[in-house]
Amino acid sequence: MLLVAFIDKTGTGLWATALPLYFTQVTAMTLAQVGLLIGLSGAIGIAGAPLAGRLADRFPVTRILICAQLLRAAALLALLTTHDFTLLLLYSAIGALPDRASNVLTKLYAARVAGPRRVRYQAFNRTVSNLGWAVGGLGAAAALALATTTAYQTLLIANALSYAVIAALTLRCAEPPSPSRIATGSTTSPAAPATPTPPTKPSSPWRDRPFLLFTATEAVLYLDDAILQVGMPLWIVHATDAPLGLAPLLLVLNSLLVVLFQVPLARFGATPTAARTLLTPLACLFLTGCLAMAASAAGDRWTAVAALTTAAVALTFAEMIHATASWELSVALAPTVAQGAYLGVHGLAASTQRSAGPLLVTAVIAAGPLAWPLLGAGFAATCLAQRRLVRRRLPHPPLSVPPVTVSEHQ
């Protein structure tokens, strides 16, 4: 599954940069049409996360994941067949659903297979994913230098092929035991416990108000992605004296730091209580990053470079610590018999941020330097609110998947 993650992100890295250029240069869309297409398809794709989680409580997660990967490939290849805006929007929306679903499904697979070692697994997963992004980005840069229709189409096809490859690799992964299917007596997996769990009616995350509030706070904390990917390049251009070439260098720095530190940091969030404790330093990192963003507009060229680098480092460490805490807390707060449904709802946080995050960040940029400290204070308040929110649930140890060794799945 780590190899699957690497190939998946390599393919995505190839296509992500070329996507808007393909629509403008090959299909002759206007910038407004491209923005509308990406926004609407992303909004529709939000439904993919809870849908995948619900299905994963009823059917083998590996089979659903394979279907999602193949649907991603088919929807992407369909873009080659037309230049009609309506059809391109339809195919993009269809592709967005399994794209969001696959994130939840891979997380659920890890939670079931890695058991108590799930935080360390997630750290390795993020590391190889960032390596994949870097490799894909380098390949895209080489292809985009040609700036031809063939180059754009080649990147699209390469990404579609990566989905087909990971679907084939997923076939080789054994199906982990599903607590919900064990509880209902519907699993026949040889890896299931010898004594089935007594039938239990699965809980619904939609009626679990504390979990919904937790998910809402998560949507706020995922905004570091929008700041790094969208906000920082725009802020450099419109509000600072820093060189334009600094933006891609800071993104490279972000990936490098994740590769170097994500796994070592994982040990600080290996339990639900430890993950909750991480929310305090997370608040400090968010506040530091936002204050540095504001400071970057107040000085000369080199002051701006130093402040922006500080912001990038602080927000990258915030990203890594939040990934560790979010992973552990979301699994710990989910009842075992409805794990898929709960993680699917939790997946709405990242999906919502992808759609709404860029809008919020651009609004902050438009408001000027004073808006960054306010955003930082909002981050800090959200971290502290989440810390208090989850405290009420963590004293009752959540049911967990029995530890499963790698050898049991060979």
Side-chain angles (χ1 to χ4, degrees):
M1 291 304 289
L2 291 175
L3 179 59
V4 165
F6 176 78
I7 296 174
D8 186 357
K9 298 308 179 184
T10 299
T12 303
L14 286 171
W15 175 239
T17 305
L19 183 148
L21 297 176
Y22 175 85
F23 287 132
T24 56
Q25 302 300 316
V26 179
T27 66
M29 283 188 189
T30 65
L31 291 177
Q33 286 178 316
V34 172
L36 181 62
L37 182 144
I38 294 175
L40 286 178
S41 61
I44 294 171
I46 290 175
L51 177 61
R54 182 66 67 179
L55 290 173
D57 281 336
R58 289 165 170 75
F59 305 101
V61 66
T62 52
R63 299 302 178 261
I64 304 172
L65 186 54
I66 290 169
C67 292
Q69 291 157 349
L70 293 177
L71 183 56
R72 292 166 82 188
L76 196 58
L77 290 174
L79 297 178
L80 296 172
T81 66
T82 182
H83 289 182
D84 181 76
F85 176 77
T86 303
L87 288 176
L88 290 171
L89 174 59
L90 174 64
Y91 298 148
S92 297
I94 292 173
L97 286 167
D99 183 68
R100 303 295 188 271
S102 63
N103 292 331
V104 172
L105 293 169
T106 51
K107 178 179 179 179
L108 187 57
Y109 183 95
R112 291 175 177 176
V113 169
R117 295 178 295 279
R118 57 181 175 255
V119 172
R120 185 168 176 80
Y121 176 93
Q122 167 67 348
F124 278 109
N125 184 75
R126 283 180 51 78
T127 299
V128 300
S129 294
N130 274 271
L131 286 173
W133 269 107
V135 171
L138 291 173
L144 292 176
L146 300 176
T148 63
T149 297
T150 301
Y152 297 130
Q153 292 174 337
T154 299
L155 292 175
L156 184 155
I157 294 171
N159 191 23
L161 287 176
S162 73
Y163 295 149
V165 170
I166 61 178
L169 288 173
T170 305
L171 280 171
R172 302 182 61 188
C173 298
E175 175 67 19
S178 168
S180 58
R181 294 169 66 224
I182 291 171
T184 57
S186 60
T187 183
T188 58
S189 170
T195 304
T197 305
T200 304
K201 182 179 180 180
S203 302
S204 170
W206 300 107
R207 293 195 295 270
D208 190 335
R209 181 175 296 181
F211 190 82
L212 292 177
L213 289 174
F214 169 73
T215 300
T217 60
E218 285 286 272
V220 176
L221 299 183
Y222 273 117
L223 281 171
D224 61 86
D225 182 67
I227 296 175
L228 289 167
Q229 298 288 336
V230 178
M232 194 163 287
L234 292 176
W235 186 249
I236 289 173
V237 172
H238 294 287
T240 77
D241 293 326
L244 300 183
L246 181 63
L249 293 179
L250 292 179
L251 291 179
V252 171
L253 176 63
N254 169 263
S255 295
L256 182 61
L257 290 175
V258 172
V259 170
L260 291 176
F261 292 104
Q262 185 68 75
V263 173
L265 286 173
R267 69 177 184 271
F268 296 108
T271 66
T273 301
R276 175 178 173 269
T277 303
L278 287 177
L279 293 172
T280 299
L282 179 60
C284 296
L285 286 168
F286 272 127
L287 188 57
T288 300
C290 289
L291 289 175
M293 290 289 286
S296 67
D300 58 17
R301 181 186 184 92
W302 295 112
T303 301
V305 169
L308 288 166
T309 302
T310 301
V313 171
L315 291 171
T316 298
F317 273 91
E319 172 191 343
M320 291 186 284
I321 289 178
H322 175 238
T324 298
S326 174
W327 171 273
E328 178 62 22
L329 291 174
S330 61
V331 175
L333 295 174
T336 306
V337 293
Q339 197 175 60
Y342 269 72
L343 294 185
V345 169
H346 180 262
L348 289 172
S351 298
T352 301
Q353 185 280 141
R354 287 188 184 184
S355 296
L359 296 176
L360 176 60
V361 169
T362 51
V364 170
I365 293 172
L370 292 180
W372 286 110
L374 294 177
L375 181 63
F379 277 130
T382 302
C383 290
L384 298 179
Q386 187 180 102
R387 193 176 192 275
R388 183 174 182 179
L389 178 66
V390 300
R391 179 181 61 185
R392 304 172 185 175
R393 297 280 291 263
L394 294 183
H396 306 287
L399 297 174
S400 60
V401 180
V404 180
T405 63
V406 175
S407 60
E408 290 177 74
H409 287 283
Q410 297 299 319

